[in-house]
Amino acid sequence: SELTAEMLPAADKRDQHSSVLKGGEKQKIIDYLEECGGNISEVARLMGISRKTLYKKLNKYNLRKG
């Protein structure tokens, strides 16, 4: 049987998105940015990472505005 996010304890659920990122991290960030209207705090929360880490990833993938 496969482990799903619903089976994880509440504390681990915030990390469910980070495991998805390994393959298509840049596209996931783009998708979350669109879904969240560009709200960096919300994107970071959904990904289970800090805003600082998200900003590093935005720079890495040249996704920063201006």
Coordinates of all heavy atoms in Angstrom, one line a residue:
S1 N 0.8 -1.2 0.0 CA 0.0 0.0 0.0 C 0.9 1.2 0.0 O 1.9 1.3 0.7 CB -0.9 -0.1 1.2 OG -1.2 1.1 1.8
E2 N 0.5 2.2 -0.7 CA 1.3 3.5 -0.9 C 0.9 4.5 0.2 O -0.3 4.6 0.6 CB 1.0 4.1 -2.3 CG 1.9 5.2 -2.6 CD 1.7 5.7 -4.0 OE1 1.0 5.0 -4.8 OE2 2.3 6.7 -4.4
L3 N 1.9 5.2 0.7 CA 1.7 6.2 1.7 C 1.2 7.5 1.0 O 1.7 7.9 0.0 CB 3.0 6.5 2.4 CG 3.0 7.6 3.5 CD1 2.2 7.1 4.7 CD2 4.4 7.9 3.9
T4 N 0.1 8.0 1.6 CA -0.4 9.3 1.0 C -0.3 10.4 2.1 O -0.1 10.1 3.2 CB -1.9 9.1 0.6 OG1 -2.7 8.8 1.8 CG2 -2.1 8.0 -0.4
A5 N -0.5 11.6 1.6 CA -0.4 12.8 2.5 C -1.5 12.7 3.7 O -1.2 13.1 4.8 CB -0.6 14.1 1.8
E6 N -2.6 12.1 3.4 CA -3.7 11.9 4.4 C -3.2 11.0 5.5 O -3.8 11.1 6.6 CB -5.0 11.4 3.8 CG -5.6 12.4 2.8 CD -5.0 12.6 1.5 OE1 -4.3 11.6 1.0 OE2 -5.0 13.7 0.9
M7 N -2.3 10.1 5.3 CA -1.8 9.2 6.3 C -0.8 9.8 7.2 O -0.5 9.3 8.3 CB -1.2 8.0 5.6 CG -2.2 7.1 4.8 SD -1.3 5.8 4.0 CE -2.6 5.0 3.1
L8 N -0.2 10.9 6.8 CA 0.9 11.5 7.6 C 0.3 12.3 8.8 O -0.8 12.8 8.7 CB 1.6 12.5 6.7 CG 2.4 12.0 5.5 CD1 2.9 13.1 4.7 CD2 3.5 11.0 5.9
P9 N 1.1 12.3 9.9 CA 0.7 13.2 11.0 C 0.7 14.6 10.6 O 1.3 15.0 9.6 CB 1.8 12.9 12.0 CG 2.6 11.8 11.5 CD 2.3 11.6 10.1
A10 N -0.1 15.4 11.2 CA -0.3 16.8 10.9 C 1.0 17.6 10.7 O 1.1 18.4 9.8 CB -1.2 17.5 11.9
A11 N 2.0 17.3 11.6 CA 3.3 18.0 11.5 C 4.0 17.7 10.2 O 4.8 18.6 9.7 CB 4.1 17.6 12.7
D12 N 3.8 16.6 9.6 CA 4.5 16.2 8.4 C 3.8 16.7 7.1 O 4.3 16.6 6.1 CB 4.7 14.7 8.3 CG 5.6 14.2 9.4 OD1 6.5 15.0 9.9 OD2 5.5 13.0 9.8
K13 N 2.5 17.1 7.2 CA 1.8 17.4 6.0 C 2.3 18.6 5.3 O 2.2 18.8 4.1 CB 0.3 17.6 6.4 CG -0.4 16.4 6.6 CD -1.9 16.6 6.8 CE -2.6 15.2 7.0 NZ -4.0 15.3 7.1
R14 N 3.0 19.5 6.1 CA 3.5 20.7 5.4 C 4.6 20.4 4.5 O 5.0 21.1 3.5 CB 4.0 21.8 6.4 CG 5.2 21.4 7.2 CD 5.6 22.5 8.1 NE 6.8 22.2 8.8 CZ 8.0 22.3 8.4 NH1 8.2 22.8 7.2 NH2 9.1 22.0 9.1
D15 N 5.2 19.2 4.6 CA 6.3 18.8 3.8 C 5.9 18.0 2.6 O 6.7 17.6 1.8 CB 7.3 17.9 4.6 CG 8.0 18.7 5.7 OD1 8.3 19.9 5.5 OD2 8.3 18.2 6.7
Q16 N 4.6 17.7 2.5 CA 4.1 16.9 1.4 C 4.4 17.5 0.0 O 4.7 16.8 -0.9 CB 2.6 16.6 1.5 CG 1.7 17.9 1.3 CD 0.3 17.6 1.5 OE1 -0.2 16.5 1.2 NE2 -0.4 18.5 2.1
H17 N 4.4 18.8 -0.1 CA 4.7 19.5 -1.4 C 6.2 19.4 -1.7 O 6.5 19.3 -2.8 CB 4.2 20.9 -1.3 CG 2.8 21.1 -1.2 ND1 1.9 20.8 -2.3 CD2 2.0 21.5 -0.2 CE1 0.7 21.0 -1.9 NE2 0.7 21.4 -0.7
S18 N 7.1 19.5 -0.7 CA 8.5 19.5 -1.0 C 8.9 18.2 -1.7 O 9.8 18.2 -2.5 CB 9.3 19.7 0.2 OG 8.7 19.9 1.4
S19 N 8.3 17.1 -1.3 CA 8.7 15.8 -2.0 C 8.4 15.8 -3.4 O 9.0 15.1 -4.2 CB 8.1 14.6 -1.2 OG 6.7 14.7 -1.4
V20 N 7.4 16.6 -3.8 CA 6.9 16.6 -5.2 C 7.9 17.4 -6.1 O 8.0 17.3 -7.3 CB 5.5 17.2 -5.3 CG1 5.1 17.4 -6.7 CG2 4.5 16.4 -4.6
L21 N 8.7 18.3 -5.4 CA 9.5 19.3 -6.1 C 10.7 18.7 -6.8 O 11.3 19.3 -7.7 CB 9.9 20.4 -5.1 CG 8.8 21.2 -4.6 CD1 9.4 22.2 -3.6 CD2 8.1 22.0 -5.7
K22 N 11.2 17.6 -6.3 CA 12.5 17.1 -6.8 C 12.6 17.0 -8.3 O 13.6 17.4 -8.9 CB 12.8 15.7 -6.2 CG 13.0 15.9 -4.7 CD 13.2 14.5 -4.0 CE 13.4 14.8 -2.6 NZ 13.3 13.6 -1.8
G23 N 11.5 16.6 -9.0 CA 11.6 16.5 -10.5 C 11.4 17.8 -11.2 O 12.2 18.3 -12.0
G24 N 10.3 18.5 -10.9 CA 9.9 19.7 -11.7 C 9.8 20.9 -10.7 O 8.8 21.6 -10.7
E25 N 10.8 21.1 -10.0 CA 10.8 22.2 -9.0 C 10.5 23.6 -9.6 O 9.6 24.3 -9.1 CB 12.2 22.3 -8.3 CG 12.2 23.3 -7.2 CD 13.5 23.2 -6.4 OE1 14.6 23.5 -7.0 OE2 13.4 23.0 -5.2
K26 N 11.1 23.9 -10.7 CA 10.8 25.2 -11.3 C 9.4 25.4 -11.7 O 8.7 26.4 -11.4 CB 11.7 25.5 -12.5 CG 11.5 26.8 -13.2 CD 12.5 27.0 -14.3 CE 12.2 28.4 -15.0 NZ 13.1 28.6 -16.1
Q27 N 8.8 24.3 -12.3 CA 7.4 24.4 -12.8 C 6.5 24.5 -11.6 O 5.5 25.2 -11.6 CB 7.1 23.2 -13.7 CG 5.7 23.4 -14.3 CD 5.6 24.6 -15.1 OE1 6.4 25.0 -16.0 NE2 4.5 25.4 -14.9
K28 N 6.8 23.7 -10.5 CA 6.0 23.8 -9.3 C 5.9 25.2 -8.7 O 4.9 25.6 -8.3 CB 6.4 22.7 -8.3 CG 5.9 21.4 -8.5 CD 4.4 21.4 -8.3 CE 3.8 20.1 -8.6 NZ 2.4 20.1 -8.7
I29 N 7.1 25.8 -8.7 CA 7.2 27.2 -8.2 C 6.3 28.1 -9.0 O 5.5 28.9 -8.5 CB 8.6 27.7 -8.1 CG1 9.4 26.9 -7.0 CG2 8.7 29.2 -7.8 CD1 10.9 27.1 -7.0
I30 N 6.4 28.0 -10.3 CA 5.6 28.8 -11.2 C 4.1 28.5 -11.0 O 3.3 29.5 -10.9 CB 6.0 28.5 -12.7 CG1 7.4 29.0 -13.0 CG2 5.0 29.1 -13.7 CD1 8.0 28.5 -14.3
D31 N 3.8 27.3 -10.9 CA 2.4 26.9 -10.6 C 1.8 27.5 -9.3 O 0.7 28.1 -9.3 CB 2.2 25.4 -10.6 CG 2.4 24.7 -12.0 OD1 2.4 25.5 -13.0 OD2 2.6 23.5 -12.0
Y32 N 2.6 27.4 -8.3 CA 2.2 27.9 -7.0 C 2.1 29.4 -7.0 O 1.2 30.0 -6.4 CB 3.2 27.5 -5.9 CG 3.0 26.1 -5.4 CD1 4.1 25.3 -5.2 CD2 1.7 25.5 -5.1 CE1 3.9 23.9 -4.7 CE2 1.6 24.2 -4.7 CZ 2.7 23.5 -4.5 OH 2.5 22.2 -4.1
L33 N 3.1 30.1 -7.7 CA 3.0 31.6 -7.8 C 1.7 32.0 -8.5 O 1.1 33.0 -8.1 CB 4.3 32.1 -8.6 CG 5.6 32.1 -7.8 CD1 6.7 32.3 -8.8 CD2 5.5 33.1 -6.8
E34 N 1.4 31.3 -9.6 CA 0.1 31.6 -10.3 C -1.1 31.3 -9.4 O -2.0 32.2 -9.3 CB 0.0 30.8 -11.6 CG 1.0 31.3 -12.6 CD 1.0 30.4 -13.9 OE1 0.2 29.5 -14.0 OE2 1.8 30.7 -14.8
E35 N -1.1 30.2 -8.7 CA -2.2 29.8 -7.8 C -2.4 30.8 -6.7 O -3.5 31.1 -6.2 CB -1.9 28.4 -7.3 CG -2.9 27.9 -6.3 CD -2.5 26.5 -5.8 OE1 -1.9 25.7 -6.5 OE2 -2.9 26.2 -4.6
C36 N -1.2 31.3 -6.2 CA -1.3 32.2 -5.0 C -1.2 33.7 -5.4 O -1.0 34.5 -4.5 CB -0.1 31.9 -4.1 SG -0.2 30.2 -3.4
G37 N -1.4 34.0 -6.6 CA -1.3 35.4 -7.1 C 0.0 36.1 -6.8 O 0.0 37.3 -6.5
G38 N 1.1 35.3 -6.8 CA 2.4 35.9 -6.5 C 2.7 36.1 -5.1 O 3.8 36.7 -4.7
N39 N 1.9 35.6 -4.2 CA 2.1 35.8 -2.7 C 3.2 34.9 -2.3 O 3.0 33.6 -2.1 CB 0.8 35.5 -2.0 CG 1.0 35.8 -0.5 OD1 2.0 35.4 0.1 ND2 -0.1 36.3 0.1
I40 N 4.4 35.4 -2.1 CA 5.6 34.6 -1.7 C 5.4 33.9 -0.4 O 5.8 32.7 -0.3 CB 6.9 35.6 -1.6 CG1 7.1 36.2 -3.0 CG2 8.1 34.8 -1.1 CD1 7.5 35.3 -4.1
S41 N 4.8 34.5 0.6 CA 4.6 33.8 1.9 C 3.8 32.6 1.7 O 4.0 31.6 2.3 CB 4.0 34.8 2.9 OG 4.9 35.8 3.2
E42 N 2.7 32.7 0.9 CA 1.8 31.6 0.7 C 2.5 30.5 -0.1 O 2.3 29.3 0.3 CB 0.5 32.1 0.0 CG -0.5 31.0 -0.2 CD -1.2 30.5 1.1 OE1 -1.0 31.1 2.2 OE2 -1.9 29.5 1.0
V43 N 3.2 30.8 -1.1 CA 3.9 29.8 -1.9 C 4.9 29.1 -1.0 O 5.0 27.8 -1.0 CB 4.7 30.5 -3.1 CG1 5.6 29.4 -3.8 CG2 3.7 31.1 -4.0
A44 N 5.7 29.8 -0.2 CA 6.6 29.2 0.7 C 5.9 28.2 1.7 O 6.4 27.1 2.0 CB 7.4 30.2 1.5
R45 N 4.8 28.7 2.2 CA 4.0 27.8 3.2 C 3.5 26.6 2.5 O 3.7 25.5 3.1 CB 2.8 28.6 3.7 CG 2.0 27.9 4.8 CD 0.7 28.6 5.2 NE -0.2 28.5 4.1 CZ -1.0 27.4 3.7 NH1 -0.8 26.3 4.4 NH2 -1.8 27.5 2.7
L46 N 3.0 26.7 1.3 CA 2.6 25.5 0.6 C 3.7 24.5 0.3 O 3.5 23.3 0.3 CB 1.9 25.9 -0.8 CG 0.5 26.5 -0.6 CD1 0.1 27.0 -2.0 CD2 -0.5 25.5 -0.1
M47 N 4.9 25.1 0.0 CA 6.0 24.2 -0.3 C 6.7 23.7 0.9 O 7.5 22.8 0.8 CB 7.0 25.0 -1.1 CG 6.5 25.4 -2.5 SD 7.6 26.4 -3.5 CE 9.1 25.4 -3.6
G48 N 6.4 24.2 2.1 CA 7.0 23.8 3.3 C 8.4 24.2 3.5 O 9.2 23.6 4.1
I49 N 8.7 25.4 2.9 CA 10.0 26.0 3.0 C 9.9 27.4 3.5 O 8.8 28.0 3.6 CB 10.8 26.0 1.7 CG1 10.0 26.8 0.6 CG2 11.0 24.5 1.2 CD1 10.7 26.9 -0.7
S50 N 11.0 28.0 3.9 CA 11.0 29.4 4.4 C 11.0 30.3 3.2 O 11.3 30.0 2.1 CB 12.3 29.7 5.2 OG 13.4 29.7 4.4
R51 N 10.6 31.6 3.4 CA 10.6 32.6 2.4 C 12.0 32.8 1.9 O 12.2 32.9 0.7 CB 10.0 33.9 2.9 CG 8.5 33.9 3.0 CD 7.9 35.2 3.4 NE 8.8 36.3 3.2 CZ 8.9 37.4 4.0 NH1 8.1 37.5 5.0 NH2 9.7 38.3 3.8
K52 N 13.0 32.8 2.8 CA 14.4 33.0 2.4 C 14.8 31.9 1.4 O 15.4 32.2 0.3 CB 15.3 32.9 3.6 CG 16.7 33.1 3.3 CD 17.5 33.2 4.6 CE 19.0 33.3 4.2 NZ 19.8 33.4 5.5
T53 N 14.4 30.6 1.7 CA 14.7 29.5 0.8 C 14.0 29.7 -0.6 O 14.6 29.4 -1.6 CB 14.4 28.2 1.4 OG1 15.1 28.0 2.6 CG2 14.6 27.0 0.5
L54 N 12.8 30.1 -0.5 CA 12.0 30.3 -1.8 C 12.7 31.4 -2.6 O 12.8 31.3 -3.8 CB 10.6 30.7 -1.5 CG 9.7 31.0 -2.7 CD1 9.7 29.8 -3.7 CD2 8.3 31.3 -2.3
Y55 N 13.1 32.5 -2.0 CA 13.8 33.6 -2.7 C 15.1 33.0 -3.4 O 15.4 33.4 -4.5 CB 14.1 34.8 -1.8 CG 13.0 35.7 -1.6 CD1 12.4 35.9 -0.4 CD2 12.4 36.4 -2.7 CE1 11.3 36.7 -0.2 CE2 11.3 37.3 -2.5 CZ 10.8 37.4 -1.3 OH 9.7 38.3 -1.1
K56 N 15.8 32.2 -2.7 CA 17.0 31.5 -3.3 C 16.6 30.7 -4.5 O 17.3 30.8 -5.5 CB 17.7 30.7 -2.3 CG 18.4 31.4 -1.2 CD 19.1 30.5 -0.2 CE 19.8 31.2 0.9 NZ 20.4 30.3 1.9
K57 N 15.5 30.0 -4.4 CA 15.1 29.2 -5.6 C 14.6 30.1 -6.7 O 14.8 29.8 -7.9 CB 14.0 28.2 -5.1 CG 14.5 27.1 -4.2 CD 13.4 26.2 -3.8 CE 13.9 25.2 -2.8 NZ 14.8 24.3 -3.3
L58 N 13.9 31.2 -6.4 CA 13.5 32.1 -7.4 C 14.7 32.7 -8.2 O 14.7 32.8 -9.4 CB 12.7 33.3 -6.8 CG 11.3 32.9 -6.2 CD1 10.7 34.1 -5.5 CD2 10.4 32.4 -7.3
N59 N 15.7 33.0 -7.4 CA 17.0 33.5 -8.1 C 17.6 32.4 -8.9 O 18.0 32.6 -10.0 CB 18.0 34.0 -7.0 CG 17.6 35.3 -6.5 OD1 17.0 36.2 -7.2 ND2 17.9 35.5 -5.2
K60 N 17.6 31.2 -8.4 CA 18.3 30.0 -9.1 C 17.6 29.8 -10.4 O 18.3 29.5 -11.4 CB 18.1 28.8 -8.2 CG 18.6 27.5 -8.8 CD 18.3 26.3 -7.9 CE 18.7 25.0 -8.6 NZ 18.4 23.9 -7.7
Y61 N 16.3 29.9 -10.5 CA 15.5 29.7 -11.7 C 15.2 31.0 -12.5 O 14.4 31.0 -13.4 CB 14.3 28.9 -11.4 CG 14.5 27.6 -10.8 CD1 14.1 27.2 -9.6 CD2 15.2 26.6 -11.6 CE1 14.3 26.0 -9.1 CE2 15.5 25.4 -11.1 CZ 15.0 25.0 -9.8 OH 15.3 23.8 -9.3
N62 N 15.8 32.1 -12.1 CA 15.6 33.4 -12.7 C 14.1 33.7 -12.8 O 13.6 34.1 -13.8 CB 16.2 33.4 -14.1 CG 17.7 33.3 -14.1 OD1 18.3 34.0 -13.3 ND2 18.2 32.5 -14.9
L63 N 13.4 33.6 -11.7 CA 12.0 33.8 -11.6 C 11.6 35.1 -10.8 O 10.5 35.4 -10.6 CB 11.2 32.7 -10.9 CG 11.3 31.3 -11.7 CD1 10.7 30.2 -10.9 CD2 10.6 31.4 -13.0
R64 N 12.7 35.9 -10.5 CA 12.4 37.1 -9.8 C 11.9 38.2 -10.7 O 12.3 38.3 -11.8 CB 13.8 37.6 -9.1 CG 14.3 36.7 -8.1 CD 13.6 36.7 -6.8 NE 13.3 38.0 -6.2 CZ 14.0 38.6 -5.3 NH1 15.0 38.0 -4.7 NH2 13.7 39.8 -4.8
K65 N 11.0 39.0 -10.2 CA 10.6 40.2 -10.9 C 11.6 41.3 -10.9 O 12.3 41.5 -9.9 CB 9.3 40.7 -10.3 CG 8.1 39.8 -10.5 CD 6.8 40.4 -10.0 CE 5.7 39.5 -10.1 NZ 4.5 40.1 -9.5
G66 N 11.7 42.1 -12.0 CA 12.6 43.2 -12.0 C 13.9 42.9 -11.7 O 14.8 43.5 -11.5

